[in-house]
Amino acid sequence: MKKILALVLSAACGVACAQTADELLNAGKNTENVTNYGMGYDLKMFSPLKEINKSNVKRLVPVWNFMLTSDMGEMSQPTVYNGVMYVVNGNWTFAIDVATGRQIWRTPVTYDRAVMRVANTGVIMRGAATIYDGKLYRTTVDCHVMALDLKTGKELWKTKFAEWKESYVGIVAPMIVNGVLISGMAGGDRTARGFIDGYDPQTGKQLWRTWTIPAPGEKGSETWPNKDLPDAWKYGGGATWQPGSYDPQLDLFYIGTGNAEPYNPKYRAGMDSLYAASLLAIRPKTGEIVWHYQYIPNDSYDFDGTAESILADIQIDGKPRKALINVNKNGFVYVLDRTNGQLIAAHPFVNQNWAKYIDLKTGRPVLTDILDRAVKGETVDLLPRHATNATLSAYNPKTGMLFLNSWEYIRSMKFVDVKLDIGASYIGIDSSTKVPDEAGYHVAINPLTGKTAWKIPLEKYGSSAGTLATDSGLLFTGLLTGEFIALDQDNGKRLWQFKTGSGIVGPPITYTHKGVQYVTILSGRGGAVSGRALGDTVPAGGSVYTFALMPQ
């Protein structure tokens, strides 16, 4: 009888764990599951849940805490499916019971420890535990993409995608898009050449590779100095750094690329350097680039274009537009037509001094004299150093408001000569950071008009945490000093907070279990930016915190 019962339970779990493409496409309709990074393919970071609201959020209390056995940083977002939470970090993969916080299984990540010489961000994971058809997919810092059995955590396949000694690192979670497992890469500030890969999720076989820096003769190669500097493209940057978003109706996958390498533009002859600092719209089945938009031609500032692309349908001039919103590291929030890449709007959301404005006709920035002065050998103060830091912003489709965390550090920089050394630093600048009295803000802004509803200064540091908006008018986010907080979407007033054990650098989620609303956040300082900001003032150490309302 026990054997029969075990077989029945095993069969039931096999069906329950076989997560489908429809569940990915319909994320949000079943609030018991969180199957996509960003709370959906559109990355809106918005939830329709209302049980936790402005009037009762003060009763929000922790119901369980789970240690993640890593001090390298928790930048990922939990995944929830059929009562199980899946969490990935640089060193482990976990399955946790949602109701109790009890560990179901954990699998260590094995990697060559020497990779930490080039993984200047640390052994971390950006994105979420990707699940599909009974498997969990992730990358490893030493450049492998792999699949685990969703029930047991056992490794099913593992594919190497690059050589870490050549500057590549695997810290970006892959995504399932139209039946293809799509994986980007990291490796900026060194000699990497960016790419995006498509894999068969069943076998790990590579289906296609799209390079973000074109070789001579390929489309876009005319923006590189292939005659005068024939090897520039080989080490040209354009790492992807973060997961993308997907429009299933258009069948387009959107992903941003990092800055060109080196920063010093003389090694690229000051040319536009496609497809660095750009947004790419890609066919997931083939890897074809359908269209692109370059945020900064000849990016010489380390501004990137890798921040999340939020998909939203917006009324513009009385007509519906399929829009894409990008909160860029360069200090501007962009609104594009996601069908063709046409620029609709671009507004600054922080103080900045590198561009006068973004020309809506050409899509190009109209520069100030900062770059010219730097090229002439002057040390310049660049504002911002980075306006966001690998966070997820939240967009409320009912109000049209965008909620984000900003940084307003200043970079003092001077272009210098740099030697090409494969796998080594390749930036071509000397720089230092200046921290103003008000270094960061919580911001609410209308991305179409650029009108700021409110801007709340942070006490000491910027925030690297993602934001999550709910239909009850709450905004959840976190601070580097460890506070998990809830703000009022109307005015930014802090309504609730809880002090976690370390800094918060990841995005929160909310979901229901047996009809009760929960909120979960990972705590654990990590990544290069938070490390520089905090020093040793906040302890390391990763953990999961799950909250619910205390009964009245």
Side-chain angles (χ1 to χ4, degrees), residues 57 60 459 479 483-486 494-499:
V57 69
L60 201 61
E459 293 177 2
L479 305 179
E483 290 82 6
F484 184 42
I485 62 178
R494 190 179 300 188
L495 302 177
W496 170 89
Q497 72 175 41
F498 176 87
K499 180 68 171 67

Side-chain angles (χ1 to χ4, degrees), residues 406-409 435-441 457-463:
S406 72
W407 292 69
E408 295 202 11
Y409 286 15
V435 183
D437 292 336
E438 293 184 351
Y441 297 85
L458 300 177
E459 293 177 2
K460 189 172 183 180
Y461 310 106
S463 173

